[in-house]
Structures are given as C-alpha cells and as structure tokens.
Amino acid sequence: MPRVVWLLVIARAINKLGAFSLPFLTVLISSDFGASVTTAGLLSAAFGLATIPSRLAGGRLAGVLGRRRTIVLGLTGCAVAQLAIAAADSLLQVAFFAILLGLAFELYEPPSQAMIADAVGPADRVRAFSLLNAALAVAGTGAGLIAAAVGRWDLRWLFVVDAVTCLACALALRLVLPADHPRRHAATADGDRGAPVHPWRDRALWAMFSCGTVFALVAMQVMMGLPLTLAGRGLEPADAGLLFTASAVTVVAAQPALRLRRIAALPDTAALALGYALMTVGLAGYALAHSLPAFLIGTGLWSLGEVLVLGRVFGVVAALAPPGGSDRYLAAYGISWGIATTAAPITATQLLDRFGATVLWAGTAALCLALAAAQPLLVAPLIGRTRPAGTEPETGKDTETGKDTETGKDMETGLAARRPRAARAD
C-alpha cells in the first residue's frame, strides 16, 4: 500500500480508539440532567440527522478547501464540540453541542476515502478499504476497553479523551499528509472543462446508495438490538461486547482471504451478493440462537459477509465517479450511514418491543437476502456499463514507483472510466 494509505489508516485507527463517547451520550443526558429516555433518544437522533449534511459538506469542502484542510477542520470541530459537551451545565447546551458534533462528525470521511481511492489502482482498492475496515475493527475493540475504564470514573471524561484523540489525529495528519493544491476541473468526455459533478443524477450511484442504506441499517440494528436480544433470552447483555470482539477478530483474520485468486477475481456484484448471503445466514442464526456459542457462530458468519461488502463498495463508488469527483460521490454514498444511525434505534427497539427478537432478526436477515438478490438483477446492469467506443483508459503515476499505471479501468469489475456525460455532468 502507498504511504498515504498507511498514514490515513493508522491515524483513523488512533482516532477510533477514542471514539467511545457517543454510545454514552444518552446515558449522560439521562444521568446528569435527569432527562427521560425518550428525550435522550431524540437528542441522539438529532445527532444522527446532523451527520447527513456533514457528510455532504465534507465532499464539497474537499473540492473547495482541499482534502487535508477538510480533514483537519472536521477533526478539530469534533474535538471542540466534545469538549463543550463535557463542560456543559444544562440540557440545552448539551443538545446544541451534540448537533454541532454531528455537523462536524462526517467532514473527515469523504476526503480521506477519496485519498485512499486515488492513491491506489482500481485492482488494489478492495485491499486498501479492507485494511481500513480491519484497523477500525481492532481499534473499536480497544475503544470499548478504554470506555470501560474511563467511564467508571466520570462519563464526561469520555468526551474529553475522545476530543484529545481527535486533536492528536488532526495534528498528525496536518504534518504528514501531502499539502493541498489548487484542483483543476476534470475534463468531461467531450473534452471541455469546468462542468460540475452531479452524483445524484447517476443512476448507478442511486443503486449503490439504496443498497448501502439498507446495509447500514442492518449494521446499526445489530449494534442496537444485540444486547437487548441477549437480555431477552436470559443471557448477560454485557456478552454483546464479547460478540463484537469476536466480530473484530473475524474481520482481521479474514483479510488474507481477500487475496485468494477465486475471491479477488469475482466481479464486484458477485462478491457483494456473496457477502450479503453470508450475512443472511448469520443473522438468521440470531433468530434461532439461545446460547452464547450459537450467537458466536452467527456473529462469525455475518462478519465474514461484512468483510466482502465493505471491501468492495467504496471501490465501486469511487470507480463510478468522473475524474476529480470521488469526494462528491463518496460523500453522497456515505449519507446512508446517517440515515441508518437515525432510523436504527427506532426500528430495532420497536420490532423487539412489538414482535420479539425472532422477528427482528428474521426480518433483518430477509433484508440481507433481498440485497443479495438485487446485486445481479438490479445493480450489475447499472454499474457494469462498457467503455464508450474510441476512448482509452486514463493513466496516472503510481505514488510509490512513479511509473505510469492504468487508473481509468477497473480490471475486476469492468466499470467504465469515462461515463456518458449525461450521467455525471450538467
């Protein structure tokens, strides 16, 4: 992997080590300010809603201010908001700074993901994004241990420590990432310059975004619903931490499998369908599980599926973007997580309360099965467009060797480097 990929992965993992405060936001609101559970939930939902414009702003600011500046701005904004939450002395202040945190929370993601996508060739994007996913999984496990230690002292200190890691990450990336340079407008297929990028006019992106929103909802429902399910079936709710740790171990252990020839050679939609199918089996296992070993088996299966999905989706979205437009495309795709963060606390708890754990996990598995079926039937025809006749793949410089490399053609998926103008520009 190029140096910039390792820098972003390591910095993001360090930042993730401190990202343990958000699950305790509702607890802080309830315990320190006497708010009801409903009020605490609404404020958490407001945070989730604020992350949606934050993600879009991250993609736009990356093109206006530069990627490094946007990354530093987002991390610094998160630190300021979390320090303010830790120092707040009223519920109104906490609500204001929680929304402010949401508005800064996703600024980092589009430029960092775009830098990773642009730093490697299309054939290496699966490994690059899988490496990022594995690092975040390991760091997330460490974050839980830190939260358990610091949270016993004072919940407000969770936000302080999180803010410190954000500032440390911002400073490190400010020093080591390449400086921002004025970015020229990308040439369109017709050769003219200056045409704006319009991700939402791209039907292929809409297909990826729709599937990504359902996938994110599934992932967030696992986070929200698993501890409650364990409690409802007579197990210790804290054992959810063991299951999430098992998931992180599975994600890391499965990384070498992505380099196996049969898996690496799969078309993107086939790999995504396989990933969703594995998630279907694992989550269906949750519907039937009544012992910790059974839950561990289900966790391992859906985690293997998640490895395949997360390793591919960002590479596919980046390949759909026109030259210079990966920030905007990744930002548009990423708001699926904001939608899921807002919806999952409601859907998971309502399904559990009204119908029980069996229906929750059977329904969640059904969503994954529908995603698996949608890949060859609906998604593949849209993202598998052929290169227009007479066009040649673009070439660029490898960031490590300086040699010319083909960057315009995805060797694994056949995604066209140059899309019809109507699909991406006004």
Side-chain angles (χ1 to χ4, degrees):
M1 290 290 106
R3 177 173 176 269
V4 68
V5 174
W6 282 108
L7 290 173
L8 287 166
V9 167
I10 293 171
R12 189 70 177 90
I14 293 173
N15 179 230
K16 181 69 173 180
L17 278 172
F20 42 65
S21 59
L22 289 178
F24 296 92
L25 179 60
T26 53
V27 181
L28 178 69
I29 292 170
S30 300
S31 62
D32 281 28
F33 299 100
S36 66
V37 175
T38 300
T39 300
L42 288 174
L43 288 181
S44 295
F47 162 83
L49 282 173
T51 64
I52 296 176
S54 173
R55 174 75 71 150
L56 294 175
R60 184 171 292 275
L61 288 175
V64 176
L65 300 178
R67 289 173 175 173
R68 188 177 71 173
R69 292 189 186 96
T70 303
I71 289 172
V72 172
L73 176 64
L75 290 170
T76 304
C78 286
V80 171
Q82 292 192 92
L83 289 173
I85 290 174
D89 55 12
S90 71
L91 183 60
L92 183 61
Q93 290 180 2
V94 171
F96 175 79
F97 290 119
I99 294 173
L100 181 64
L101 177 61
L103 292 173
F105 196 74
E106 296 287 344
L107 292 179
Y108 174 97
E109 295 292 353
S112 63
Q113 291 169 355
M115 290 182 80
I116 291 174
D118 292 350
V120 298
D124 289 325
R125 283 175 181 159
V126 172
R127 288 198 299 121
F129 284 113
S130 295
L131 176 65
L132 176 63
N133 182 40
L136 292 179
V138 173
T141 302
L145 298 176
I146 296 174
V150 177
R152 294 177 187 276
W153 182 20
D154 190 333
L155 289 177
R156 290 176 182 261
W157 279 102
L158 292 174
F159 294 88
V160 174
V161 176
D162 201 346
V164 170
T165 63
C166 285
L167 289 174
C169 188
L171 178 61
L173 292 179
R174 172 64 179 79
L175 295 175
V176 301
L177 286 181
D180 294 316
H181 297 289
R183 296 172 60 188
R184 298 177 180 177
H185 291 291
T188 67
D190 295 333
D192 58 315
R193 294 181 180 272
V197 176
H198 293 293
W200 296 118
R201 298 183 183 181
D202 191 331
R203 289 184 298 169
L205 179 66
W206 270 108
M208 294 300 298
F209 171 76
S210 300
C211 292
T213 301
V214 177
F215 167 74
L217 179 64
V218 167
M220 294 304 299
Q221 285 193 160
V222 171
M223 295 292 293
M224 300 290 178
L226 188 53
L228 296 173
T229 299
L230 292 176
R233 291 185 173 172
L235 301 174
E236 178 60 48
D239 285 344
L242 296 177
L243 296 177
F244 292 139
T245 300
S247 175
V249 172
T250 302
V251 168
V252 175
Q255 295 305 304
L258 295 174
R259 302 185 70 174
L260 295 176
R261 182 173 300 177
R262 289 188 177 182
I263 295 178
L266 285 174
D268 282 324
T269 50
L272 290 172
L274 177 59
Y276 290 131
L278 285 170
M279 292 183 68
T280 299
V281 177
L283 294 171
Y286 277 1
L288 303 174
H290 286 80
S291 66
L292 190 59
F295 277 103
L296 280 170
I297 294 172
T299 298
L301 287 171
W302 72 252
S303 298
L304 286 174
E306 188 179 66
V307 169
L308 288 172
V309 173
L310 288 177
R312 297 272 182 160
V313 289
F314 293 114
V316 173
V317 174
L320 289 174
S326 56
D327 306 271
R328 298 286 300 278
Y329 267 64
L330 288 164
Y333 173 80
I335 69 171
S336 58
W337 286 93
I339 295 173
T341 301
T342 305
I346 300 172
T347 57
T349 54
Q350 288 297 310
L351 285 172
L352 275 172
D353 185 51
R354 294 175 180 269
F355 304 106
T358 300
V359 171
L360 169 64
W361 299 116
T364 305
L367 288 177
C368 290
L369 183 61
L371 287 174
Q375 302 310 302
L377 298 176
L378 302 176
V379 179
L382 289 173
I383 70 171
R385 299 171 182 175
T386 57
R387 186 186 306 280
T391 62
E392 296 295 328
E394 297 182 25
T395 59
K397 294 289 185 181
D398 184 277
T399 56
E400 292 291 295
T401 66
K403 297 179 181 180
D404 288 334
T405 58
E406 183 178 310
T407 59
K409 182 179 180 182
D410 191 322
M411 302 300 293
E412 296 178 353
T413 66
L415 291 174
R418 295 179 179 174
R419 309 279 310 290
R421 184 183 181 190
R424 60 184 172 92
D426 188 5

